[in-house]
Structures are given as structure tokens and as C-alpha cells.
Amino acid sequence: MIQSKVILITGGAGFIGSHACLVLLEAGYRLIVLDNFSNSSSESLRRVQELAGAEAASRLVVVEGDIRSADDLSRAFRAGVETAGSEVQTTCPVDAVVHFAGLKAVGESIADPLAYWEVNVAGSLQLLSAMRAHGCRTIVFSSSATVYGIPEQVPIPETAPVRPINPYGQTKAAVEQLLADLAASEPCWRIARLRYFNPVGAHPSGRLGEDPQGTPNNLFPFVSQVAVGRRESLQVYGGDWPTPDGSGVRDYIHVMDLAEGHLAALETLLSEEPQLLTANLGSGQGHSVLEVVAAFAQASGRPVPYQLVNRRAGDAACSLADPAFAASRLGWRTQRSLDEMCRDGWAWQQANPKGYSS
Ligand code: NAD
Ligand code: WQD
């Protein structure tokens, strides 16, 4: 019997991780999810199993634990041995790690940088040490376009300077550097550093989606909560940016496209010689805040009232990926439009007005 590869997914219960788990299960992988549920619920993984069907669901094992804990990491790697089954014992029970676990709110990182350095940097260090101890040297890392800071050039190529402007971005840049140092010290590492632009939307079933705790920081969840009636109106941060309609422009990427980008990166790493690769995951297409508001109102059939207010500190006028490298090296490009992001985001919001606790 051919055993499928075993992938350890840290943070697999979260927004992006849950969609990636579904895509990887559908591609035939065995998954171990390690999550401490600090910003998610096990309900997302239950739904991943339900969407994947019974056979695929049996290939997902959940380990509740923290990436900062060597014991929890050992439990997750041991779960890899059990998942690989008794017929075939490999020296490397976990074939690769996809590392989503982390904290991601810019404002919170400014207020509590210690927490961000501890979870994002010390947690990644602990994970990488455990990987080395268990003979696993393949990792896909969730980095962010935030490492570019305020870009000098748009679309932004991967060669643009890494100049983060807040502690969250500093932690992502630090882990990127750590991964580059590891690759230089031991050339057998296979590493993908994926810089996501603005992930939004939801699985088209409306069963998986983004479930922010408290007031959303990001545009998309805020707009959808206004449309569903949980919030009165949106504040548009700045109407005087040097953009066509004066509001900020971003490269929104459907979370299913992003999940498929992880599959492409993982398969590239597993099938090629060891390497360190760094790829933007974005569409290269920009949409303004006012365009998002109009598209969401259209998709939901609900009004999205808004007021123009002052610019938010730390924002750029425009952030767009140059997606050429991902297309040529990973054979991956985005497929889904802004209207599909709004349609699927709305289906999720409507069916789950209070997220997974609805
Ligand atoms: P999320 O908060 O929904 O998911 C993160 C998951 O990690 C959650 O399930 C959380 O419970 C878990 N987690 C947090 N700390 C942990 C710890 N110490 N041990 C184990 N599990 C832990 O976030 P997301 O939007 O799915 O983001 C996933 C990754 O992608 C993060 O690293 C984030 O920085 C990065 N990223 C996100 C965005 C975005 O806009 N969503 C953009 C760029 C990069
Ligand atoms: C998008 C646009 C705002 C909220 C952030 C992180 C980045 C990455 C993705 C993790 C901007 C405007 C927003 C609102 C608004 N995350 N806006 N009213 O700032 O591009 O990126 O999320 O890595 O690191 O910085 O995304 O969704 O916050 O903002 O007008 O209530 O919407 O000014 O133009 P951002 P966002």
C-alpha cells in the first residue's frame, strides 16, 4: 500500500489554515494539525472533515498544543508516526510542515510586542528545532506582504527591500531571516517563504470562513459585519490617497486561491532539489476600499453605509503583488475575482453571523 505524505500544519484551525487543510486533504495528504485554539475553534476542523468526506476526514489528526512547547511539538511529531501506520515505518514520519500558527494583528503587536516576538519568533524557533530533531527539513512559512513596509515600487517584486514598519512585520521578517540562515547552514532544507497580500473570502460552501474575535481590524470582515447588520457603518480610512478614487488600493486574494498556492509551494518543494524560495501570493490586481464596498453591497444585496475619515497611521496608498515569480516557479496564479470573494464571504457571513459560535 502506498502511504501518502504526512504534513504537520501549525495553526490549521485558523482562517487560512482551515482552507489549506481542506485543499491538502483533497489532494490526498495525511495531516496533523497542531493548534492551541487561541484564535480559532475546533469547529473549523470538524467542518473541514465534513466537507472532505469520510475517507479524507480519517486522514486528519488534531493535536491541541502550542508551538512554543517542546512537549506539544513532540506529541505532534509522534502523531506523525502513528498516522504513517504500522506497515511502513519511515525515518521521517512528518514529511513537511506548513507553518501558519502565529499572531497577526498589527495594532496589537504595537501594544504588546513581547507577545508577538514570543509566539511568532520564539514559537518558530522551537518548531524549527523540533523539525531538525525529528529529521524533517521541509517547511512552508506564512509570511506577509507586510515585510515590505511602505513600498517604493508597485507592483512589488520579491526583490524589493524588506523594511517592516511595525512589530508584527518585524517578527515575520525575523523568521524569514532565520529560515535563510538555516538554508545557508544546511543546504538540505527545503523552504518556501510565502508573502501573502490581503487574504479574504471564504469556502464557497459557506461552511468555512474568517471568524475574527471582537472588532475586526481588517476591511473585509468589517464590511461583511456591516452588511449583515452587526455594525452600523464602515469608516473608510482616507479619501485623499493618490489613487483613482482617493481610497486605499490593495491586492485582495481569495482564501481558496491562497490555499491552492500552499499546495503548489509544497509540491514544488517535495518534488525538487532542496532550495529556499520566496514568493508573493497575490493577484497583481488592485481594488480600492470604495470598490470593495460597492462589490460587497452588490453581492449581498444589502447597503454598506460608510463615512470617510482620516487616514490610518502606517497605511500605504497602494500595495500590489508582482505575481510573476509564483506563476513561473510554482505554476500558480489566482483564479477568483473580487465578486467571487464577496459572494463567498457573504455566504459565510450570512450562514454564520457570529462565526463558528453561531
Ligand atoms: P488565524 O489567527 O485565523 O490563524 C492562526 C492560527 O494559529 C489560529 O488557529 C490560532 O489558534 C493558532 N495559534 C496562534 N498561536 C499559536 C500557538 N502559540 N501555538 C499553536 N497555535 C497557535 O490567522 P490566519 O489569518 O489564518 O493567518 C495564518 C498565518 O498567515 C499567520 O501566521 C499570519 O501572520 C499569516 N498572514 C495572515 C494574513 C491575513 O491577513 N490573514 C496575511 C499575511 C500573513
Ligand atoms: C485594507 C484597506 C485600509 C479597515 C493588513 C495587515 C497586513 C496583512 C493583511 C497579515 C486599507 C482600509 C481597513 C477599515 C478601511 N495581515 N480600511 N476601514 O492594512 O492592507 O493589511 O492585513 O499579515 O499585515 O497590515 O489590510 O484589511 O486592514 O486594510 O478603510 O475599517 O482598507 O486603510 O486601505 P492591510 P486591511
Side-chain angles (χ1 to χ4, degrees):
M1 180 188 163
I2 298 173
Q3 292 281 332
S4 47
K5 290 206 178 328
V6 177
I7 315 297
L8 171 61
I9 316 275
T10 74
F15 170 43
I16 303 168
S18 55
H19 292 78
C21 283
L22 182 57
V23 165
L24 294 178
L25 281 179
E26 286 171 346
Y29 290 96
R30 289 172 178 268
L31 306 183
I32 301 154
V33 169
L34 175 66
D35 202 302
N36 67 357
F37 302 114
S38 58
N39 196 36
S40 56
S41 125
S42 57
E43 174 64 10
S44 64
L45 294 171
R46 202 192 61 70
R47 293 190 188 184
V48 165
Q49 289 181 306
E50 166 201 293
L51 288 166
E55 182 282 318
S58 70
R59 288 187 270 109
L60 174 70
V61 173
V62 181
V63 176
E64 182 168 355
D66 197 300
I67 54 166
R68 291 165 293 177
S69 156
D71 288 348
D72 291 354
L73 284 162
S74 272
R75 277 196 297 126
F77 278 94
R78 280 203 304 276
V81 180
E82 286 154 25
T83 318
S86 53
E87 291 163 39
V88 177
Q89 284 298 328
T90 57
T91 50
C92 176
V94 170
D95 295 283
V97 173
V98 184
H99 178 29
F100 294 105
L103 305 179
K104 62 166 182 177
V106 170
E108 191 183 62
S109 79
I110 296 168
D112 190 0
L114 282 178
Y116 275 68
W117 281 83
E118 194 197 322
V119 174
N120 293 1
V121 180
S124 297
L125 258 173
Q126 197 67 256
L127 170 68
L128 290 161
S129 303
M131 285 177 67
R132 205 165 51 172
H134 289 86
C136 176
R137 286 183 173 74
T138 303
I139 182 168
V140 176
F141 171 60
S142 298
S143 188
S144 169
T146 205
V147 299
Y148 297 120
I150 305 289
E152 272 169 14
Q153 179 191 355
V154 283
I156 311 171
E158 288 84 355
T159 49
V162 168
R163 274 199 299 240
I165 57 163
N166 53 61
Y168 167 66
Q170 297 286 2
T171 65
K172 288 290 172 189
V175 177
E176 282 204 3
Q177 184 60 52
L178 169 57
L179 291 168
D181 292 347
L182 260 185
S185 72
E186 276 186 286
C188 55
W189 281 87
R190 295 162 195 266
I191 297 172
R193 306 184 298 185
L194 303 182
R195 296 175 178 162
Y196 317 155
F197 277 67
N198 288 64
V200 301
H203 188 266
S205 64
R207 298 289 290 156
L208 301 179
E210 186 170 10
D211 184 12
Q213 312 296 304
T215 308
N217 301 304
N218 297 115
L219 178 66
F220 238 83
F222 205 105
V223 167
S224 52
Q225 291 190 8
V226 172
V228 86
R230 260 176 87 177
R231 303 193 185 270
E232 252 176 41
S233 77
L234 170 77
Q235 295 195 324
V236 175
Y237 298 139
D240 55 353
W241 292 102
T243 59
D245 66 17
S247 66
V249 169
R250 293 292 181 274
D251 186 333
Y252 296 97
I253 171 171
H254 195 296
V255 66
M256 290 304 294
D257 279 330
L258 187 57
E260 289 162 11
H262 287 75
L263 176 63
L266 183 66
E267 299 203 324
T268 299
L269 290 183
L270 290 171
S271 64
E272 294 187 359
E273 291 299 307
Q275 63 186 303
L276 168 69
L277 68 82
T278 307
N280 287 336
L281 295 186
S283 67
Q285 302 293 312
H287 294 288
S288 72
V289 175
L290 296 180
E291 278 181 278
V292 169
V293 166
F296 208 93
Q298 172 74 31
S300 63
R302 303 277 184 96
V304 178
Y306 67 87
Q307 302 104 41
L308 290 178
V309 300
N310 288 338
R311 294 178 179 186
R312 182 172 66 177
D315 271 353
C318 179
S319 168
L320 293 182
D322 177 342
F325 178 81
S328 63
R329 283 292 289 109
L330 307 180
W332 171 91
R333 52 170 55 80
T334 60
Q335 309 282 340
R336 296 161 176 90
S337 65
L338 178 64
D339 288 344
E340 287 166 285
M341 300 177 212
C342 295
R343 181 199 66 195
D344 296 339
W346 176 241
W348 154 256
Q349 181 68 68
Q350 219 181 2
N352 307 271
K354 294 196 174 137
Y356 288 110
S357 59
S358 293

